[in-house]
Amino acid sequence: MAAQAPTLNPFENATRQLEKAAKILNLDKNTLEVLSKPKLVVEVSLPVKMDDGTVKVFTGYRSQYNDARGPYKGGIRFHPNVTRDEVVALSAWMTWKCATVDIPFGGGKGGVICNPKDMSMGEQERLVRRYAAAITPFVGVQKDIPAPDVYTTPQHMAWFMDTYSQITGQRTPHVITGKPVEVGGSLGRSNSTSRGALFVAREALKIKKIKNPTIVIQGFGNAGENCALLAKEVLGGTPKVIAVSDSKGGIYNQDGLDPEAVQKHKAKTGSVVGFKGAKSISNEEILELPCDLLIPAALENQITKENAPRIKAKVISEAANGPTTPEADEILYKNGVTVIPDILANAGGVTVSYFEWVQGFNWYPWSLEEVNGRLEQKMVKAFHDVYNFSSDKKVHMRTGAYCLAVERVAKALELQGLWP
Ligand code: NAD
């Protein structure tokens, strides 16, 4: 899914967030100047033979924003609305996200303008391989490590890895993450975003002394569904998922829904709507339900200045990218709602990507327990880093996360100096 509203220029938006953090940090002007631009943006033309025998030329990008803290890291998006600006903005956000959770990566992002939903598997494979071949000179295990994003899958990652390995003559699984486990992927990667969003929510709930929380989840796709399924395991006690929704509508039961039964219903019917033993509720209403924990896991710009005053959740963990507008942030902060921002709350995915890269380097896969245990450590530490920083500076957690991330990248940059 796109991370930004289509009317905003995403790169301008990313720059504004950086400037806000820079002002609070009193950042050196020269450092801000360097952090305001991507280091390298590559545009490639990708001729692909289609099934009907014609050749179609696709446009692809790879943006390498900043590598002061480690190799560039970020997904590859296949979508008809991909633009250069969007790819650059997403690579900036990856820089801040990796720094927020303190993993040794910079920020990168890739994209190809295409619609995989209209392409056969053969066409998709040829496109992935052509893109991999075109950007092979720019990526590498200590240079730039891509991953899946919107409309790209573990299968695409396997083709990318194989193409890169064949061109370089070296089997290199860790040049890309999000691969199937059979070819060097990490255990625990598939639900790591949701697990991470719950670890940080658990910490916020503890601070608010809330036990056995009621939970509302907007969006029942990969991220939302796994949040529902993992809630009991991660939060402990007896949490109750009281409402969930998808693009067709929502369902609500104050006594709690059985996440596995809802999952089965959705697998059978294509939606959560119509689940027995629950009332219908709209996607607008679901956000305003009284609950302890709200997890937006669908689209951007869902909590706005219009509905923010009516939000009754005590904690919001943003599994989705960009679900809250800046005006809504201010309202929620004044109302005492703890909003765990996307660059922290949904960083579990990139954290396990980092683990996948480390496992690849060592040719030694970890057990699921080890992956989940290390993810917990990273997310809990990152939550408290951001929470303490925000409390000290008396700002909301989004601003706190950006400040902390920018400060870390700026420090790395300053220590290495400017050369040549
Ligand atoms: P997905 O496509 O699997 O699921 C999205 C869900 O949202 C679907 O159930 C869809 O029906 C629902 N939806 C769409 N429009 C809606 C609406 N108007 N109201 C309510 N629900 C609606 O996508 P995903 O991978 O689960 O990603 C969800 C969000 O989480 C995105 O913002 C994504 O960028 C973010 N995210 C996901 C991951 C991940 O690992 N999956 C990682 C980081 C961030």
Side-chain angles (χ1 to χ4, degrees):
M1 264 177 288
Q4 287 298 310
T7 47
L8 294 176
N9 174 331
F11 186 55
E12 276 168 19
N13 192 13
T15 305
R16 234 177 282 156
Q17 283 164 334
L18 166 64
E19 287 170 352
K20 187 173 174 190
K23 205 166 162 195
I24 295 171
L25 292 167
N26 204 11
L27 195 72
D28 172 65
K29 262 196 194 147
N30 293 329
T31 305
L32 174 62
E33 175 73 6
V34 176
L35 291 180
S36 303
K37 310 263 180 334
K39 256 179 118 170
L40 179 77
V41 186
V42 187
E43 177 176 329
V44 287
S45 294
L46 309 166
V48 174
K49 189 164 265 181
M50 306 306 280
D51 289 345
D52 64 4
T54 60
V55 171
K56 200 167 164 191
V57 181
F58 295 88
T59 301
Y61 303 97
R62 184 76 191 165
S63 170
Q64 299 181 332
Y65 198 82
N66 186 284
D67 66 345
R69 286 175 42 87
Y72 304 102
K73 182 87 190 90
I76 300 165
R77 179 169 292 199
F78 276 12
H79 197 275
N81 299 340
V82 162
T83 63
R84 183 187 185 281
D85 268 353
E86 181 189 59
V87 173
V88 175
L90 292 167
S91 69
W93 280 316
M94 283 307 296
T95 309
W96 315 134
K97 189 182 284 194
C98 292
T100 301
V101 281
D102 201 13
I103 53 178
F105 283 142
K109 202 80 182 190
V112 177
I113 306 169
C114 67
N115 190 355
K117 291 193 171 172
D118 293 340
M119 297 168 72
S120 69
M121 284 306 270
E123 289 169 340
Q124 290 183 42
E125 177 176 353
R126 293 193 288 279
L127 177 59
V128 170
R129 289 188 183 278
R130 180 59 82 162
Y131 178 67
I135 67 165
T136 283
F138 303 97
V139 297
V141 290
Q142 291 180 159
K143 206 168 170 184
D144 183 355
I145 306 116
D149 190 64
V150 175
Y151 289 174
T152 52
T153 64
Q155 173 63 74
H156 294 132
M157 302 303 108
W159 288 326
F160 188 108
M161 183 266 280
D162 179 65
T163 309
Y164 180 89
S165 297
Q166 291 204 47
I167 291 174
T168 57
Q170 303 201 359
R171 193 102 303 252
T172 320
H174 44 318
V175 72
I176 197 158
T177 60
K179 301 177 295 291
V181 172
E182 294 79 359
V183 289
S186 177
L187 292 172
R189 173 69 168 77
S190 58
N191 60 19
S192 51
T193 300
S194 309
R195 198 176 279 277
L198 289 167
F199 282 137
V200 290
R202 185 188 69 193
E203 298 307 298
L205 291 164
K206 263 193 231 163
I207 290 171
K208 296 208 152 181
K209 299 193 173 31
I210 298 169
K211 287 188 182 143
N212 306 322
T214 49
I215 306 171
V216 170
I217 303 173
Q218 189 201 39
F220 206 71
N222 185 336
E225 185 174 284
N226 280 311
C227 281
L229 292 168
L230 291 171
K232 190 165 168 40
E233 181 191 329
V234 176
L235 301 177
T238 48
K240 255 194 308 191
V241 177
I242 57 168
V244 300
S245 69
D246 59 30
S247 57
K248 304 214 170 89
I251 54 170
Y252 165 58
N253 184 339
Q254 189 58 38
D255 296 331
L257 300 160
D258 173 356
E260 277 168 25
V262 178
Q263 181 192 36
K264 278 192 195 128
H265 174 80
K266 193 197 125 188
K268 212 157 82 188
T269 66
S271 170
V272 298
V273 173
F275 180 72
K276 271 198 194 122
K279 287 188 232 158
S280 306
I281 185 165
S282 73
N283 261 310
E284 290 72 38
E285 289 168 322
I286 203 171
L287 294 171
E288 298 172 21
L289 279 174
C291 65
D292 297 312
L293 173 61
L294 172 63
I295 303 181
L299 305 175
E300 65 277 10
N301 297 335
Q302 295 300 294
I303 305 176
T304 62
K305 64 176 192 276
E306 274 75 38
N307 61 3
R310 297 190 297 274
I311 301 274
K312 297 174 198 77
K314 302 195 174 68
V315 172
I316 298 178
S317 185
E318 293 184 340
N321 278 313
T324 311
T325 65
E327 296 88 354
D329 262 336
E330 300 303 329
I331 298 168
L332 295 169
Y333 184 60
K334 278 193 195 114
N335 289 348
V337 183
T338 302
V339 180
I340 310 170
D342 47 7
I343 60 167
L344 168 61
N346 69 34
V350 73
T351 302
V352 174
S353 267
Y354 162 53
F355 297 161
E356 181 177 334
W357 177 74
V358 173
Q359 293 169 72
F361 252 118
N362 295 316
W363 299 95
Y364 191 87
W366 302 351
S367 67
L368 183 60
E369 291 68 34
E370 181 156 14
V371 172
N372 290 342
R374 286 180 186 257
L375 174 64
E376 180 171 9
Q377 278 174 18
K378 275 274 170 212
M379 295 303 296
V380 169
K381 163 101 174 40
F383 173 87
H384 289 287
D385 284 352
V386 173
Y387 185 82
N388 294 337
F389 189 101
S390 312
S391 305
D392 284 353
K393 299 256 182 218
K394 298 195 171 35
V395 292
H396 53 67
M397 284 187 75
R398 189 178 323 278
T399 301
Y402 272 96
C403 287
L404 191 65
V406 170
E407 190 175 54
R408 284 175 175 164
V409 178
K411 183 78 188 161
L413 203 64
E414 284 160 10
L415 282 169
Q416 289 165 93
L418 206 57
W419 186 88

